[in-house]
């Protein structure tokens, strides 16, 4: 079965950067996309970005466009989220996920979730 393991979270100062990684133990080939979400305390889960394994196409929510970049390394079955210009409001648990397509993930249809990694941005 597919297992997603996130890493790279931690404490960072406002204005700083951080790169998150999500390593997949294997792929279900019907799942062509990976995505990143976050959830802050007391708030709903928020979609951030998604990428297609096959095409490399990406999609970002407006709130992080220009600051966050999603990428993938197909040979390593790993996706990344490069975050720059971090703000205190970016503080959340960040989750990666896999799904059928970019559109499916963006709409919240997810096949597997990672365990989450905490990102804390201090002011």
């Amino acid at each position: 079965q597919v297992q997603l393991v996130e890493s790279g979270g931690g404490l960072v100062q406002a204005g700083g950067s951080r790169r998150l990684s999500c390593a997949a133990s294997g792929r279900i080939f019907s799942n062509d996309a990976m995505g990143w979400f976050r959830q802050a305390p007391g708030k709903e889960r928020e979609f951030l970005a998604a990428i297609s394994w096959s095409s490399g196409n990406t999609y970002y929510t407006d709130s992080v466009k220009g600051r966050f970049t999603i990428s993938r390394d197909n040979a390593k079955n790993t996706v990344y989220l490069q975050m720059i210009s971090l703000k205190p409001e970016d503080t959340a648990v960040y989750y990666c996920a896999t799904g059928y397509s970019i559109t499916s993930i963006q709409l919240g249809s997810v096949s597997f979730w990672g365990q989450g990694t905490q990102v804390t941005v201090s002011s």
Side-chain angles (χ1 to χ4, degrees):
Q1 62 177 351
V2 173
Q3 188 169 25
L4 307 177
V5 180
E6 294 130 317
S7 61
L11 179 65
V12 61
Q13 291 186 327
S17 63
R18 198 83 179 183
R19 189 181 73 160
L20 306 181
S21 300
C22 176
S25 63
R27 272 195 64 192
I28 297 175
F29 287 97
S30 60
N31 290 339
D32 187 48
M34 297 285 289
W36 287 96
F37 296 76
R38 68 185 179 190
Q39 188 164 21
K43 297 184 178 180
E44 294 183 349
R45 185 190 67 224
E46 177 187 16
F47 167 78
L48 301 175
I51 188 167
S52 167
W53 286 112
S54 59
S55 71
N57 289 343
T58 59
Y59 180 83
Y60 298 90
T61 191
D62 287 342
S63 64
V64 302
K65 191 177 299 181
R67 295 194 301 122
F68 291 9
T69 303
I70 189 170
S71 62
R72 92 286 203 225
D73 186 332
N74 293 61
K76 296 180 179 179
N77 279 350
T78 300
V79 297
Y80 305 94
L81 187 68
Q82 179 67 54
M83 306 182 292
I84 65 171
S85 301
L86 285 164
K87 307 171 183 178
E89 51 263 45
D90 294 320
T91 295
V93 178
Y94 284 70
Y95 299 91
C96 68
T98 185
Y100 179 71
S101 68
I102 288 175
T103 299
S104 297
I105 292 177
Q106 183 264 322
L107 294 174
S109 182
V110 170
S111 296
F112 293 94
W113 293 96
Q115 84 286 352
T117 185
Q118 175 73 45
V119 175
T120 302
V121 183
S122 64
S123 60

